[in-house]
Amino acid sequence: GAGQMTDLENCRGPENYTLNTAVELYNSGAPMPKLIVSDDARAAVARFLDGQPAPVGITLREADHWPHRNSNVDEWLKFADYLREKGENVIFLRDTNKAKEPLELGGATYCTLPPCSIEINSRVALYERAKCNVFAANGPATLCHFLSNPWLMVAPLDPSMAYPPGRPDWWLPHHGIPAYGQFPWSGPNQRIIWDLDLAENMIAAWERFEAGDYNCPAPPNNVVAIPTAPPPMPIPPIYSTAPALPEGG
């Protein structure tokens, strides 16, 4: 069964939920395994998308626990508006606890697909069909590490963050790559975007995606320009403090 983590400093449980071991194995020559999705899930997603262009999938984190990790939903909706104006077919995957709730703002309604928020085979089947999958740094983004499909993950870094994975020095010992680097198995159009999930940053990343700037394997981490003193980001309050765990864990 599931267990609740109490190690806030390292954000890892009794087993290894970070990717440093995967990076070590990949760098030693082991292939990165790929997810295999059920035929039923693929067929269901194909029926839903019948006649539609390949979607841009946006996955939201909207959990009640650790809200500092949540997606900046208003900014993602602005990004979706930009994409829709460009003619993109945008589908949101809401957090599981909000899967069946409509996604609306200012009279605008955004397409969601509840079964893909709830059932993992259906989620991955949609990810397989997407033109690109876009995330804030969250758990479902990890699924795309095991796919060959395009993805962009927005991840802010700042040494002052209370949340450890938001600090540059956390990444190398826990995820096996330096801050501002990329996972070594990342292929064409698979990138971490080291910035806040603000609409302007996501639009800039999308324009680079569309221009083909990411249409090549990720550069080796030993040639990545890593700033020694990155300018402080304007961190919104949602990122500033990691809440205490409930009493008893």
PDB file of all heavy atoms in Angstrom, residues 33-47:
ATOM      1  N   PRO A  33      13.385   2.054 -20.683  1.00  0.00           N
ATOM      2  CA  PRO A  33      12.205   1.287 -21.100  1.00  0.00           C
ATOM      3  C   PRO A  33      11.072   2.209 -21.528  1.00  0.00           C
ATOM      4  O   PRO A  33      11.021   3.378 -21.143  1.00  0.00           O
ATOM      5  CB  PRO A  33      11.835   0.501 -19.831  1.00  0.00           C
ATOM      6  CG  PRO A  33      12.405   1.302 -18.713  1.00  0.00           C
ATOM      7  CD  PRO A  33      13.654   1.949 -19.247  1.00  0.00           C
ATOM      8  N   LYS A  34      10.185   1.682 -22.348  1.00  0.00           N
ATOM      9  CA  LYS A  34       9.034   2.439 -22.821  1.00  0.00           C
ATOM     10  C   LYS A  34       7.742   1.823 -22.259  1.00  0.00           C
ATOM     11  O   LYS A  34       7.638   0.607 -22.092  1.00  0.00           O
ATOM     12  CB  LYS A  34       8.970   2.431 -24.352  1.00  0.00           C
ATOM     13  CG  LYS A  34      10.196   3.051 -25.014  1.00  0.00           C
ATOM     14  CD  LYS A  34      10.355   4.529 -24.682  1.00  0.00           C
ATOM     15  CE  LYS A  34      11.545   5.145 -25.398  1.00  0.00           C
ATOM     16  NZ  LYS A  34      11.758   6.567 -25.003  1.00  0.00           N
ATOM     17  N   LEU A  35       6.796   2.698 -21.982  1.00  0.00           N
ATOM     18  CA  LEU A  35       5.509   2.239 -21.486  1.00  0.00           C
ATOM     19  C   LEU A  35       4.729   1.548 -22.597  1.00  0.00           C
ATOM     20  O   LEU A  35       4.785   1.945 -23.765  1.00  0.00           O
ATOM     21  CB  LEU A  35       4.693   3.419 -20.956  1.00  0.00           C
ATOM     22  CG  LEU A  35       5.242   4.111 -19.698  1.00  0.00           C
ATOM     23  CD1 LEU A  35       4.427   5.362 -19.388  1.00  0.00           C
ATOM     24  CD2 LEU A  35       5.227   3.165 -18.512  1.00  0.00           C
ATOM     25  N   ILE A  36       3.993   0.524 -22.228  1.00  0.00           N
ATOM     26  CA  ILE A  36       3.116  -0.191 -23.161  1.00  0.00           C
ATOM     27  C   ILE A  36       1.682   0.032 -22.691  1.00  0.00           C
ATOM     28  O   ILE A  36       1.332  -0.303 -21.555  1.00  0.00           O
ATOM     29  CB  ILE A  36       3.444  -1.691 -23.214  1.00  0.00           C
ATOM     30  CG1 ILE A  36       4.897  -1.893 -23.686  1.00  0.00           C
ATOM     31  CG2 ILE A  36       2.474  -2.429 -24.126  1.00  0.00           C
ATOM     32  CD1 ILE A  36       5.360  -3.336 -23.626  1.00  0.00           C
ATOM     33  N   VAL A  37       0.874   0.603 -23.552  1.00  0.00           N
ATOM     34  CA  VAL A  37      -0.497   0.977 -23.205  1.00  0.00           C
ATOM     35  C   VAL A  37      -1.456  -0.087 -23.721  1.00  0.00           C
ATOM     36  O   VAL A  37      -1.231  -0.704 -24.768  1.00  0.00           O
ATOM     37  CB  VAL A  37      -0.833   2.360 -23.814  1.00  0.00           C
ATOM     38  CG1 VAL A  37      -2.215   2.811 -23.396  1.00  0.00           C
ATOM     39  CG2 VAL A  37       0.202   3.389 -23.394  1.00  0.00           C
ATOM     40  N   SER A  38      -2.540  -0.285 -22.995  1.00  0.00           N
ATOM     41  CA  SER A  38      -3.513  -1.294 -23.403  1.00  0.00           C
ATOM     42  C   SER A  38      -4.189  -0.900 -24.714  1.00  0.00           C
ATOM     43  O   SER A  38      -4.406   0.286 -24.999  1.00  0.00           O
ATOM     44  CB  SER A  38      -4.575  -1.489 -22.318  1.00  0.00           C
ATOM     45  OG  SER A  38      -5.480  -0.405 -22.300  1.00  0.00           O
ATOM     46  N   ASP A  39      -4.531  -1.902 -25.502  1.00  0.00           N
ATOM     47  CA  ASP A  39      -5.218  -1.654 -26.772  1.00  0.00           C
ATOM     48  C   ASP A  39      -6.571  -0.990 -26.533  1.00  0.00           C
ATOM     49  O   ASP A  39      -7.005  -0.147 -27.329  1.00  0.00           O
ATOM     50  CB  ASP A  39      -5.405  -2.968 -27.531  1.00  0.00           C
ATOM     51  CG  ASP A  39      -4.088  -3.548 -28.037  1.00  0.00           C
ATOM     52  OD1 ASP A  39      -3.116  -2.777 -28.172  1.00  0.00           O
ATOM     53  OD2 ASP A  39      -4.041  -4.767 -28.281  1.00  0.00           O
ATOM     54  N   ASP A  40      -7.256  -1.375 -25.465  1.00  0.00           N
ATOM     55  CA  ASP A  40      -8.573  -0.781 -25.182  1.00  0.00           C
ATOM     56  C   ASP A  40      -8.448   0.715 -24.930  1.00  0.00           C
ATOM     57  O   ASP A  40      -9.280   1.502 -25.400  1.00  0.00           O
ATOM     58  CB  ASP A  40      -9.208  -1.456 -23.965  1.00  0.00           C
ATOM     59  CG  ASP A  40      -9.688  -2.865 -24.267  1.00  0.00           C
ATOM     60  OD1 ASP A  40      -9.763  -3.223 -25.459  1.00  0.00           O
ATOM     61  OD2 ASP A  40      -9.964  -3.615 -23.309  1.00  0.00           O
ATOM     62  N   ALA A  41      -7.421   1.127 -24.178  1.00  0.00           N
ATOM     63  CA  ALA A  41      -7.241   2.544 -23.888  1.00  0.00           C
ATOM     64  C   ALA A  41      -6.908   3.307 -25.167  1.00  0.00           C
ATOM     65  O   ALA A  41      -7.435   4.401 -25.407  1.00  0.00           O
ATOM     66  CB  ALA A  41      -6.130   2.737 -22.858  1.00  0.00           C
ATOM     67  N   ARG A  42      -6.046   2.742 -25.987  1.00  0.00           N
ATOM     68  CA  ARG A  42      -5.714   3.401 -27.254  1.00  0.00           C
ATOM     69  C   ARG A  42      -6.952   3.555 -28.131  1.00  0.00           C
ATOM     70  O   ARG A  42      -7.152   4.595 -28.771  1.00  0.00           O
ATOM     71  CB  ARG A  42      -4.637   2.606 -27.982  1.00  0.00           C
ATOM     72  CG  ARG A  42      -3.239   2.804 -27.405  1.00  0.00           C
ATOM     73  CD  ARG A  42      -2.219   1.987 -28.149  1.00  0.00           C
ATOM     74  NE  ARG A  42      -0.854   2.335 -27.750  1.00  0.00           N
ATOM     75  CZ  ARG A  42       0.153   1.474 -27.745  1.00  0.00           C
ATOM     76  NH1 ARG A  42      -0.040   0.208 -28.105  1.00  0.00           N
ATOM     77  NH2 ARG A  42       1.362   1.861 -27.372  1.00  0.00           N
ATOM     78  N   ALA A  43      -7.786   2.527 -28.159  1.00  0.00           N
ATOM     79  CA  ALA A  43      -8.982   2.584 -28.992  1.00  0.00           C
ATOM     80  C   ALA A  43      -9.956   3.640 -28.471  1.00  0.00           C
ATOM     81  O   ALA A  43     -10.576   4.371 -29.264  1.00  0.00           O
ATOM     82  CB  ALA A  43      -9.655   1.210 -29.034  1.00  0.00           C
ATOM     83  N   ALA A  44     -10.096   3.720 -27.146  1.00  0.00           N
ATOM     84  CA  ALA A  44     -11.022   4.703 -26.576  1.00  0.00           C
ATOM     85  C   ALA A  44     -10.568   6.126 -26.876  1.00  0.00           C
ATOM     86  O   ALA A  44     -11.374   6.994 -27.230  1.00  0.00           O
ATOM     87  CB  ALA A  44     -11.140   4.482 -25.070  1.00  0.00           C
ATOM     88  N   VAL A  45      -9.273   6.390 -26.749  1.00  0.00           N
ATOM     89  CA  VAL A  45      -8.758   7.727 -27.048  1.00  0.00           C
ATOM     90  C   VAL A  45      -8.886   8.018 -28.537  1.00  0.00           C
ATOM     91  O   VAL A  45      -9.235   9.140 -28.940  1.00  0.00           O
ATOM     92  CB  VAL A  45      -7.293   7.856 -26.575  1.00  0.00           C
ATOM     93  CG1 VAL A  45      -6.652   9.126 -27.120  1.00  0.00           C
ATOM     94  CG2 VAL A  45      -7.243   7.850 -25.052  1.00  0.00           C
ATOM     95  N   ALA A  46      -8.642   7.021 -29.373  1.00  0.00           N
ATOM     96  CA  ALA A  46      -8.786   7.214 -30.819  1.00  0.00           C
ATOM     97  C   ALA A  46     -10.222   7.574 -31.181  1.00  0.00           C
ATOM     98  O   ALA A  46     -10.455   8.434 -32.043  1.00  0.00           O
ATOM     99  CB  ALA A  46      -8.340   5.961 -31.559  1.00  0.00           C
ATOM    100  N   ARG A  47     -11.185   6.940 -30.526  1.00  0.00           N
ATOM    101  CA  ARG A  47     -12.598   7.269 -30.801  1.00  0.00           C
ATOM    102  C   ARG A  47     -12.895   8.709 -30.398  1.00  0.00           C
ATOM    103  O   ARG A  47     -13.591   9.435 -31.112  1.00  0.00           O
ATOM    104  CB  ARG A  47     -13.524   6.307 -30.056  1.00  0.00           C
ATOM    105  CG  ARG A  47     -13.577   4.908 -30.652  1.00  0.00           C
ATOM    106  CD  ARG A  47     -14.720   4.109 -30.073  1.00  0.00           C
ATOM    107  NE  ARG A  47     -14.583   3.898 -28.633  1.00  0.00           N
ATOM    108  CZ  ARG A  47     -13.959   2.873 -28.083  1.00  0.00           C
ATOM    109  NH1 ARG A  47     -13.369   1.950 -28.863  1.00  0.00           N
ATOM    110  NH2 ARG A  47     -13.895   2.733 -26.773  1.00  0.00           N
TER     111      ARG A  47
END
